[in-house]
Amino acid sequence: MHQPTTEPRPSIYYDYRVHAPWLPSQHGAQPRHKVVIAGSGPAGMVAALELARHGVPSVVVTSELQVSQGSRAIVFTRRSMEILQQVGTARRMTENGLPWRFGNSIYQGQTVFRMEAPHDADDRFFPMLNIQQQYMEEYLLDACAASPLIDFRWGNKVVKVEQRGDHARVTLDTPEGEYVLETDWLIAADGGRSDIRTMLGLKMEGASYEGLFVIADIKIDLPFPTERLAFFDPVWNPGNTILMHREPHGIWRVDYQLPPGEKPEDALQPESLKARIDAQLEMIGHGGTPWEMDWCSVYSARTLTLPDYVVGRVLFTGDAAHLLPIFGVRGANTGFQDAQSLAWHLAFVIRGLAGEQLLANHSAERVGAAREIIDEAGKSTRFMAPPTHGFRVLRDAVLSLSLSRTQDFVRPLYHWRTSRPHEYTHSVLNSRGDDNALFTTAPAHGAPPQNIRLGADDFLLDHLGGAFDLLYFTDADAIAQPLLDVVAAVRQRGVPVRVTAVGARPAVQGADQTLADVDGHFRQRYGIPASGGAYLLRPDQHVCARWLTLDATRLQAAFKQALPQ
């Protein structure tokens, strides 16, 4: 029988709550479920919340009785915050997190490259926000608990998966023994060491790097701003790299690379941790400052992905689908995008609004995103943790005084290529007969939308999401009836559609909502001429069509393309 620990995880700043296990003896016979989600990490819970937003119930099973230990993912990007806004947890994240936008690459005591992430008045969220993963999971968990469509089961470990054509049989072990769930779809969100991936005999494609990093959370008072600090070739760890991030509650995250051949268990010995952290503090001018260890672990850099995230009735997401290096904060941030994409694709299939081939599109889009990330992350990884002598020679040349301090063209090699939302430029859901090619700016096919400030605490993305959104730019007092007829026909099939008029008038007849654009700023950011135009956004907010002129035939074709039967 599965016996998860009932002892709260140790921490000097976070109070872990141990939840009661879900036991089969306390519940009746189990029906066949629409969706079972294995894993209660960021990807699993966002998938459950997004499915619930589309009216689809799910059962979330997790082998543990509490949220994860240690800071783990601590940096959350603007796009992640926009996704978390959709599931109702962004406000708590911003209230408790530390926003930032600058990153520093430091060599021999001097800053040789300073990254500045874009940020302007139209952005509700900062480019990055630091907060420990325990808090993020706590906020998601509270949101799940508030949803009547999410059945959360602690202490339930998946031990067997059987595929049966139109469903899967999942055997779960609990503190009182095993039971079986049948489900139309099983979402494998069970992390980088996915048991489900192993059970199905699946292999990832890509590369694993030999470099190992120690990750340590320490409580210490340091007078540095919330900015990313990367130290190359430090005197106490020659040839290697150290990263530092400020976290809430007086915690600092220190990541340092180990010399080749050192075993993880040796690196995590208290005397080894103390010597190296003391050396880092000495190097930055704070030797002797008292500090206390909260949590530590060892990490290896890997760039791997499954070639397909749909395997029969099992759908892979997050780290169960791909393994990405920490450089560029890609893990959880990519997982949020995976889960948001998977949820709307799957919900539309379950509700009969599109055929199962829609799931093949989800896989193609997200595998494509993973491969793009792997390409970019690989560049960062090869610089941060050179895998061969040749790469180390190249990095050492870049780090040399003659290059890093005198040659501007070299400095961007230090750039960590921060995680960014993937643009589904070649998605089969994109309209083939729109005016995308005629636009010279603004969000293109497959891109997420550009947020727009509408008021002091009012932004465009506060009004969008969870449906197909038609943004219709007009100065007329009504939307043309043929367009409304197309919208009505799509809605009659059960497809959620929201029509938003954008213009100078206070209200536009036929629109579900009207957003003011008296000074034309909204139009300008979206590349819309004075004569008008329109955008169609998918339920995950990515653009699938845009027009300089829109008629009923073109709108109908766009919906047909985006919802394959």
Side-chain angles (χ1 to χ4, degrees), residues 70-86:
S71 61
R72 300 184 183 271
I74 60 165
V75 182
F76 302 98
T77 65
R78 176 182 291 129
R79 183 56 188 162
S80 291
M81 294 302 298
E82 291 170 352
I83 293 171
L84 292 175
Q85 181 184 19
Q86 297 294 303

Side-chain angles (χ1 to χ4, degrees), residues 174-508:
T174 76
E176 67 174 20
E178 295 183 354
Y179 73 103
V180 173
L181 281 182
E182 290 191 346
T183 180
D184 293 347
W185 299 97
L186 172 63
I187 295 178
D190 54 339
R193 297 189 177 100
S194 172
D195 289 333
I196 296 174
R197 192 174 64 225
T198 301
M199 291 173 196
L200 298 183
L202 302 177
K203 301 295 183 183
M204 288 183 155
E205 302 173 350
S208 293
Y209 296 87
E210 294 183 1
L212 295 175
F213 279 76
V214 167
I215 301 175
D217 287 342
I218 63 173
K219 188 174 181 63
I220 186 172
D221 184 15
L222 293 176
F224 299 118
T226 306
E227 298 183 357
R228 181 254 201 181
L229 302 173
F231 301 87
F232 291 92
D233 195 28
V235 292
W236 68 268
N237 196 7
N240 293 323
T241 307
I242 299 101
L243 307 176
M244 292 186 69
H245 277 283
R246 178 187 288 277
E247 305 175 36
H249 306 288
I251 304 297
W252 276 84
R253 164 84 158 260
V254 182
D255 298 20
Y256 57 85
Q257 192 175 357
L258 295 177
E262 182 167 351
K263 296 179 180 179
E265 55 269 27
D266 295 333
L268 294 180
Q269 291 298 312
E271 59 273 17
S272 174
L273 291 164
K274 184 179 187 308
R276 282 159 164 165
I277 292 173
D278 283 346
Q280 175 64 14
L281 295 175
E282 183 71 33
M283 189 184 74
I284 63 175
H286 290 273
T289 302
W291 59 271
E292 186 178 0
M293 178 70 70
D294 179 74
W295 170 80
C296 59
S297 185
V298 172
Y299 173 87
S300 63
R302 290 169 289 180
T303 52
L304 301 165
T305 182
L306 289 173
D308 194 338
Y309 297 167
V310 180
V311 181
R313 310 303 286 190
V314 181
L315 311 170
F316 287 85
T317 194
D319 286 350
H322 46 67
L323 294 172
L324 306 172
I326 58 174
F327 316 123
V329 297
R330 294 175 171 87
N333 291 297
T334 303
F336 290 143
Q337 296 171 46
D338 289 340
Q340 184 194 42
S341 170
L342 173 57
W344 89 262
H345 282 82
L346 180 57
F348 273 52
V349 170
I350 288 173
R351 294 172 57 189
L353 305 178
E356 288 187 9
Q357 64 265 42
L358 191 67
L359 291 173
N361 176 73
H362 159 73
S363 179
E365 289 183 354
R366 294 312 302 165
V367 170
R371 294 193 186 284
E372 179 185 273
I373 293 166
I374 284 171
D375 181 60
E376 289 207 340
K379 297 172 186 176
S380 298
T381 302
R382 288 189 293 272
F383 191 80
M384 303 288 277
T388 66
H389 174 71
F391 280 111
R392 184 169 292 277
V393 169
L394 174 63
R395 191 186 76 167
D396 290 347
V398 172
L399 289 170
S400 71
L401 289 172
S402 60
L403 288 178
S404 64
R405 295 182 181 174
T406 61
Q407 303 298 318
D408 290 341
F409 80 92
V410 169
R411 294 181 184 125
L413 291 173
Y414 292 94
H415 200 299
W416 59 328
R417 299 175 178 87
T418 310
S419 171
R420 56 187 173 81
H422 187 71
E423 297 187 6
Y424 307 126
T425 305
H426 305 294
S427 172
V428 297
L429 306 189
N430 294 338
S431 179
R432 299 176 181 176
D434 66 353
D435 298 325
N436 183 63
L438 301 180
F439 283 76
T440 58
T441 186
H445 271 178
Q450 162 67 51
N451 213 352
I452 301 291
R453 181 184 289 274
L454 304 172
D457 189 31
D458 187 22
F459 292 80
L460 171 62
L461 297 190
D462 302 350
H463 303 269
L464 305 181
F468 277 91
D469 278 295
L470 178 64
L471 299 180
Y472 190 72
F473 295 81
T474 182
D475 288 328
D477 57 5
I479 296 176
Q481 190 58 47
L483 293 177
L484 295 178
D485 290 342
V486 172
V487 170
V490 174
R491 286 173 172 165
Q492 192 170 16
R493 292 169 44 201
V495 177
V497 181
R498 182 188 299 108
V499 179
T500 300
V502 182
R505 295 182 179 273
V508 175

Side-chain angles (χ1 to χ4, degrees), residues 75-118:
V75 182
F76 302 98
T77 65
R78 176 182 291 129
R79 183 56 188 162
S80 291
M81 294 302 298
E82 291 170 352
I83 293 171
L84 292 175
Q85 181 184 19
Q86 297 294 303
V87 299
T89 62
R91 184 172 296 278
R92 293 180 71 184
M93 293 279 285
T94 55
E95 287 173 348
N96 296 290
L98 302 175
W100 61 280
R101 55 186 296 231
F102 299 103
N104 304 279
S105 295
I106 300 161
Y107 176 61
Q108 293 189 352
Q110 294 192 19
T111 299
V112 293
F113 179 74
R114 182 166 169 83
M115 178 200 74
E116 180 176 350

